[in-house]
Every structure is written in structure tokens, then in C-alpha cells.
Amino acid sequence: MDTTAPNSRTSVPRKRRTLVERWKDWLFRPTLEWVQVEVNTDCDAQCVYCPRTVLGEAWPKRQMSMETFVSILPRKARSDTERPPTLVHLQGWGEPFLNPYFFDMVDHAKRGGYRVSTTTNGNLMDQALAQRLVEAGVDTLAFSLAGIDARNDKIRRGTRLDQVMEAIATVDRVKRRLGANRPAVNIAYMLLKSGLDAIERMPCFFGGTGIEAVVVSTLGHVASPGLAREAILPAGDEEYRAIKDRCDGATEEAARQGFILHFQVPHPGPRAGSCGENVLRSLVVSTEGMITPCVLSRFPPEPHDAPYDDPLVFGDLATESLREIWWRRSYLGFRRSFSEGAPPERCRSCVKLGL
């Protein structure tokens, strides 16, 4: 495998592990349910809600090197038969297929026994790419959308709804031809306040397309003040219940249509404890190897003028292993704060808290 790539670094010398370190390594494997890996920060689309679009030239354009990727994962995924292997999700604030080492990363993860997923805008999908994804053993392939009509194309500039749906059909045809049931095809749907009218129409729109699940999120990071009006933040129980009832009805209809429809609607009341990003059992690795709890912790809660302004970073793979960072006292304290119902101040206003 070619391990040369942009932003390559010097490997960390291996040292003999103590008994305590081996115990932590053994315990570490079943702890992580998923690792989100930002393999690329550049994109061929200009989604209006994405910080990359808002920040323009100030946004860093980076690709993860194979050397950094290889340093992320323990040699083998956990072998606990009661739970599936750790999921490695290859996507962050950019289009993953633009990284030329994408399939090398898939191969490395699959050989280690990990499950692999990714999320794409669909622009690069064709029959050849779909076949590579099937043959590489990618477990889940998600397509990003922010509407089921012309609104999507205005919000996700540089993409087209009809092109995404054709890409999904292409993947379905290739799977049928090869007799494969993977990758499962999902939709990562961004629900903005101006698009609430799409809730009831989703079941019929996505039914019968071969999609297995639609995961609907709301705007978690407001990249500019002008986007604040698109954040779905119910003012009280009545507004929350009205939206939730609509979502529940759509979820039931989607089940009848043969797919899963899942909504994340933030509650207006005090929220503590659980986190929709599952920070107790997951983490995010940036292109340069920085470890953060989730993609939103890279940014402060309010709009800002520079990327990575005051990021919540717990370590760097250039100098430490992922296991060492995971067990660091400060990171343990961060996770414990959620278990104790008193998360850090910067997390208390996050829409993911309490989901």
C-alpha cells in the first residue's frame, strides 16, 4: 500500500507496553462504538450552512495522509460477539471521495475487522465508483440532502436533488448486478426551519428507492448570524410537541413504506446527561490527527471569524496513540461530566445535548 500523502508526518516510535497499558488497550477496544475520521476538508459543493462555505478562503483545505490514518486504529477491532465491531466513518467537513487514498483507508480498516461507512454529496458517483464501494466492502453509504424539492439545490449549492437520486439508483443497480446487499444506502438529511413542510412528504418521496434509513438532523452549528433563523429551536413545550407529533407521524408512515425515518428535535427545556453525538463512546479525528469529542466541538457555540477557534482538542496522533489520548485525565473528566449530568459549559447550549 502506498503510504505517502499530503501532510505526512514522522511515525511515533513504538515502545514496550506495561501491564497497565495492555489492560487499557484491551478495555479500549470495546469502549469505542464509532470513530469519525475527517479524511478531507475540501469540497466540490457550497452548502449555505457549512462553515467551509461561510469562511471561504479562511477555511483550511487538507487531506488526511495514510500515515495518519494508519495511526488511528488499534490493529484489530473488538471481537465482542454481542456487539458489532467499531464503526469507522470516513467523513467530516468535506467530500471524502476527493481524498485519493479513500479506498486505501477502507481496505486498511476492513482488514482490521472494522465496519466502514461514509457520507457523500453524490457529485462523483457513477457506476465505476459504486462498484468499487461494493467490492471494497463499505458497510453504509449515506447521501446528504437538505430538501426533497428545488429547495435542496438552493441550500446545497453545487449539488442537485435529481443527481443524488440517480446516484442512489446507480448504487442500487450495481448491488443487484453483483448480488450484494451492502453498502446499505442512507440519507443524511439537514432539516432547516424553512423546510419543515417537507416532514410529511418524506415517507412517500423516499419510499421504494432502496434507501434503508433517513437520519434527519437540525442545524447544530450556526456558521453565520444570518443562518440563525434556520435553526429549529422550539420556544416552548407546545411548539416542541407540534413539531414532534409531525415527526412521529412521518416516522410511522416511513415504517409502512419500508425504511427507517429518524428525527432529532431539540427539546426547549433544560438538557443534560446524554449527547446525540454519543461522546461517551465515540470521537472524531481531524485531517491533521487532532482528537475531538465530536464535529461540533471544533467550534464555539456562536458564529466566529476563524476556523478551529478555541477547539476542544484532547490530543494529537503525531505524538501519542489514540489509546493514550482516550485515557488522558482531562478526556476522562470530560466524559465523566456527561455521566454525572453536568457537561462542560460550552456543551450546555448544544442542540445535541439531551437527544
Side-chain angles (χ1 to χ4, degrees):
M1 181 187 300
D2 183 1
T3 58
T4 60
N7 306 323
S8 61
R9 314 154 176 249
T10 303
S11 299
V12 180
R14 293 189 178 275
K15 58 182 179 181
R16 191 169 184 176
R17 295 181 299 163
T18 66
L19 186 60
V20 172
E21 288 173 329
R22 292 181 181 181
W23 174 80
K24 285 184 175 181
D25 188 44
W26 176 84
L27 191 61
F28 171 70
R29 294 184 185 184
T31 299
L32 278 177
E33 293 182 357
W34 78 72
V35 176
Q36 183 167 351
V37 183
E38 183 182 54
V39 297
N40 177 55
T41 65
D42 200 5
C43 190
D44 54 356
Q46 295 283 331
C47 302
V48 298
Y49 53 81
C50 180
R52 174 191 168 276
T53 302
V54 173
L55 292 170
E57 292 302 316
W59 181 257
K61 297 179 181 180
R62 301 190 183 107
Q63 292 180 344
M64 178 176 282
S65 68
M66 272 305 297
E67 184 178 4
T68 298
F69 183 80
V70 168
S71 71
I72 298 171
L73 306 175
R75 287 191 182 90
K76 295 290 181 181
R78 64 185 181 209
S79 56
D80 187 341
T81 57
E82 296 183 0
R83 290 181 294 176
T86 301
L87 175 69
V88 178
H89 185 64
L90 303 176
Q91 186 259 346
W93 296 100
E95 170 56 42
F97 293 144
L98 290 176
N99 188 314
Y101 301 95
F102 177 85
F103 283 101
D104 292 328
M105 295 172 179
V106 172
D107 179 64
H108 180 78
K110 295 298 291 186
R111 284 191 289 108
Y114 295 89
R115 294 178 296 143
V116 176
S117 64
T118 191
T119 302
T120 177
N121 60 29
N123 281 348
L124 299 176
M125 187 60 63
D126 57 16
Q127 183 171 307
L129 178 55
Q131 182 162 332
R132 289 193 72 184
L133 290 165
V134 172
E135 293 175 343
V138 172
D139 295 276
T140 303
L141 172 65
F143 290 86
S144 297
L145 286 175
I148 53 176
D149 51 29
R151 183 183 294 125
N152 174 83
D153 301 1
K154 294 179 181 178
I155 296 170
R156 296 184 53 78
R157 298 190 311 238
T159 72
R160 297 198 327 270
L161 175 63
D162 60 346
Q163 183 176 331
V164 172
M165 298 311 295
E166 176 55 32
I168 291 170
T170 297
V171 175
D172 189 59
R173 287 193 296 269
V174 170
K175 286 165 59 178
R176 292 175 184 274
R177 177 168 58 81
L178 297 179
N181 60 5
R182 287 290 180 268
V185 176
N186 294 350
I187 296 292
Y189 193 102
M190 175 61 69
L191 181 64
L192 302 181
K193 198 168 186 177
S194 61
L196 285 172
D197 62 310
I199 292 175
E200 289 82 3
R201 294 185 288 133
M202 288 182 188
C204 289
F205 183 85
F206 291 117
T209 60
I211 292 168
E212 296 189 20
V214 178
V215 179
V216 183
S217 301
T218 58
L219 198 60
H221 172 65
V222 179
S224 70
L227 288 169
R229 64 181 181 276
E230 291 287 10
I232 298 174
L233 299 170
D237 285 337
E238 185 176 351
E239 183 181 356
Y240 169 78
R241 180 48 56 192
I243 297 175
K244 186 70 164 55
D245 287 347
R246 295 173 66 183
C247 294
D248 290 345
T251 298
E252 293 174 5
E253 178 58 31
R256 289 189 284 270
Q257 295 279 353
F259 70 95
I260 297 169
L261 180 56
H262 175 71
F263 289 89
Q264 292 183 338
V265 181
H267 194 278
R271 302 190 303 272
S274 62
C275 170
E277 291 296 299
N278 194 22
V279 294
L280 299 183
R281 292 186 176 275
S282 68
L283 54 81
V284 176
V285 186
S286 71
T287 52
E288 64 271 39
M290 301 293 182
I291 306 301
T292 60
C294 74
V295 292
L296 299 178
S297 60
R298 304 271 291 280
F299 309 98
E302 299 299 325
H304 56 294
D305 297 324
Y308 312 116
D309 180 23
D310 187 29
L312 187 58
V313 175
F314 286 104
D316 184 353
L317 290 175
T319 57
E320 300 169 280
S321 71
L322 187 58
R323 175 182 56 79
E324 290 171 324
I325 297 170
W326 181 257
W327 293 115
R328 173 170 291 155
R329 186 183 300 273
S330 59
Y331 205 172
L332 280 169
F334 172 83
R335 297 195 297 274
R336 188 179 300 118
S337 71
F338 285 86
S339 301
E340 295 173 349
E345 182 66 32
R346 67 178 295 153
C347 295
R348 293 176 192 176
S349 60
C350 181
V351 298
K352 298 290 185 177
L353 191 62
L355 294 178

